[in-house]
């Protein structure tokens, strides 16, 4: 038997550690994300429905601190969409509560998926402009995506930063 799975949470104000049992998560595919201000784990696997059709099952475990337990919610997505053709990674959660999945590699097209877990809607966005160059080189590029990254283009050097503070 292996060691118990736990998530360790550090409260920066009190400098106290909280050890949260996480035995409900599969050990090899969980990603921890910020879900509306609380910690959540997310994972997926492929399952067959009653008719034999393969579906992507996406599961979200949300830590309920007051109950000291995880609330598990699952969603099934048809495999006949983009998930059938590409490898995706879970990037994180937007401030509006949409789960963001992004393709791992570029190709002719590059897609980012926004999944609203409450409304149960999926929005697929094609990002254009950088897949063609890789195709020209007969290769594909690894892509790293960040959620809610904001960059102030006016602060492109330290002098401007110093001047704007004073």
């Amino acid at each position: 038997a292996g060691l118990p799975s736990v998530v360790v949470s550090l409260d920066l104000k009190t400098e106290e550690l909280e050890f949260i049992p996480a035995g409900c998560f599969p050990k090899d595919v969980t990603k921890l994300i910020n879900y509306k201000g609380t910690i959540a784990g997310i994972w997926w696997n492929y399952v067959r429905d009653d008719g034999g059709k393969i579906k992507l099952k996406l599961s979200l475990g949300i830590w309920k601190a007051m109950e000291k337990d995880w609330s598990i919610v699952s969603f099934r997505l048809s495999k006949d969409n983009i998930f059938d053709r590409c490898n995706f990674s879970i990037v994180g959660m937007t401030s509006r509560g949409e789960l963001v999945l992004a393709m791992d590699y570029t190709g002719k097209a590059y897609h980012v998926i926004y999944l609203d877990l409450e409304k149960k809607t999926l929005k697929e966005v094609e990002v254009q402009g950088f897949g063609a160059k890789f195709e020209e080189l007969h290769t594909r590029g690894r892509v790293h995506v960040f959620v809610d990254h904001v960059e102030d283009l006016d602060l492109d050097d330290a002098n401007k930063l110093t001047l704007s503070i004073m």
Side-chain angles (χ1 to χ4, degrees):
L3 296 172
S5 297
V6 296
V7 173
V8 180
S9 175
L10 169 63
D11 184 322
L12 294 175
K13 290 179 186 173
T14 64
E15 297 183 0
E16 292 180 6
L17 292 174
E18 179 182 9
F19 292 86
I20 303 168
C24 62
F25 295 150
K27 294 188 184 344
D28 58 345
V29 293
T30 300
K31 177 169 177 99
L32 298 175
I33 61 172
N34 177 355
Y35 180 74
K36 298 183 177 183
T38 190
I39 193 163
I42 190 157
W43 64 95
W44 69 68
N45 61 328
Y46 290 100
V47 296
R48 290 193 184 275
D49 65 12
D50 293 335
K53 188 173 182 178
I54 295 175
K55 299 216 175 215
L56 178 69
K57 180 181 175 187
L58 187 72
S59 298
L60 178 71
I62 305 163
W63 178 244
K64 301 293 185 185
M66 298 302 285
E67 294 94 25
K68 300 284 186 201
D69 200 8
W70 295 94
S71 172
I72 309 292
V73 182
S74 294
F75 306 90
R76 291 187 183 211
L77 305 168
S78 174
K79 196 178 176 212
D80 58 359
N81 55 28
I82 192 155
F83 296 108
D84 190 26
R85 304 185 305 271
C86 307
N87 292 332
F88 280 83
S89 290
I90 299 165
V91 179
M93 185 76 65
T94 67
S95 59
R96 293 186 312 266
E98 294 172 310
L99 183 65
V100 181
L101 298 100
M103 290 174 63
D104 292 333
Y105 296 92
T106 63
K108 188 176 261 186
Y110 183 79
H111 297 268
V112 177
I113 305 293
Y114 294 88
L115 179 61
D116 190 314
L117 302 175
E118 290 179 3
K119 296 178 184 172
K120 297 186 179 178
T121 58
L122 183 138
K123 185 174 19 175
E124 181 180 336
V125 177
E126 182 177 342
V127 179
Q128 298 177 347
F130 65 140
K133 186 63 177 175
F134 286 108
E135 190 172 281
E136 200 176 284
L137 298 170
H138 303 291
T139 189
R140 60 187 187 156
R142 179 80 166 107
V143 180
H144 299 276
V145 177
F146 301 90
V147 176
D148 292 338
H149 173 75
V150 178
E151 188 171 315
D152 187 343
L153 299 177
D154 292 333
L155 299 176
D156 56 1
D157 65 37
N159 289 335
K160 288 182 182 178
L161 180 62
T162 305
L163 291 173
S164 67
I165 293 174
M166 296 180 165

